[in-house]
Amino acid sequence: MDGDDVDVAAAETAEAVPELDDMKKRLKEMEDEAAALREMQAKVEKEMGSVQDPSASAAASQANREEVDSRSVFVGNVDYSCTPEEVQQHFQACGTVNRVTIRSDKYGQPKGYAYVEFVEPEAVQEALLLNESELHGRQLKVTAKRTNVPGMKQFRARRPSPYMGFPPRGAIMPPYLFSPYGYGKVMRYRMPMRYSPYG
C-alpha cells in the first residue's frame, strides 16, 4: 500500500511539473508586457512634458502665472465699444503687446475693463504712465495687474435680509406706540370689510 501512495504522488508530481512550467512562462510574459507598458508610458509622458508630481506642476503653473502677471497691466473704464486692436494701438508706444483681453459678461457684453500683456516687463512701467489718458473719450485707469493667490478669496459680507432674524445693527427702530385712550390699549387700524353683513 505504501508503494501505491508513492507511485500516485510521483505521478501527480510529474503532471504538476509541466503545469508549473506553463504558469512560470505566462508569468514571465506578463512581467515583460508590464515592463514594456511602463516604458511606453514614460516615453509618452516625456514627450507630452507632463510632470508626475501634481504639487510641482501647480507650483510651476503658479510661477508662470506670476511671471505673466508681472508683464501685464489692468486697464479700467474702457469704453464698451472699444476693440482689442484699439486698446493695443493705445499701448503700442509702451512696448510690444503680446495679448489684449477685454472681459465680457455671460451675454457677451464688455464689462468695461481689460488686461494688456506685454512681451517685456519694462513695458509695464511705461504703460503706468498712461494712467488717466483718454481712449474713446473716456479716462482710462491703468494699474499693474495683481496675481490672484488660490484659496485667498476676499470675503464679502452679505447684506442682512429684513425678512430674517434680528434687525441689523444700527437700524432705526420704529417708535413705541402709546395709546391716547388709556394704558396698555393700542388702537389699531382695521381694514373695512368689503361685503358688510349690514348692507
Side-chain angles (χ1 to χ4, degrees), residues 140-171:
L140 298 180
K141 178 176 169 46
V142 182
T143 59
K145 185 175 184 228
R146 64 180 175 83
T147 303
N148 289 335
V149 178
M152 295 295 290
K153 185 176 179 182
Q154 290 182 344
F155 175 73
R156 287 178 27 187
R158 295 177 62 169
R159 274 188 15 194
S161 172
Y163 304 108
M164 299 182 67
F166 295 103
R169 284 189 189 170

Side-chain angles (χ1 to χ4, degrees), residues 3 64 72 81 89 107 118 141 159 166 181 189-190 195:
N64 184 30
S72 302
S81 64
Q89 275 184 332
Y107 304 109
F118 295 100
K141 178 176 169 46
R159 274 188 15 194
F166 295 103
Y181 301 108
Y189 179 73
R190 297 185 86 179
Y195 303 106

Side-chain angles (χ1 to χ4, degrees), residues 13-39:
T13 306
E15 289 175 8
V17 169
E19 283 181 22
L20 189 59
D21 290 338
D22 287 342
M23 289 175 71
K24 285 181 181 179
K25 187 187 287 184
R26 278 187 279 169
L27 182 63
K28 176 73 172 149
E29 289 173 2
M30 290 168 66
E31 286 175 350
D32 292 342
E33 190 176 336
L37 285 172
R38 273 191 235 106
E39 187 177 312

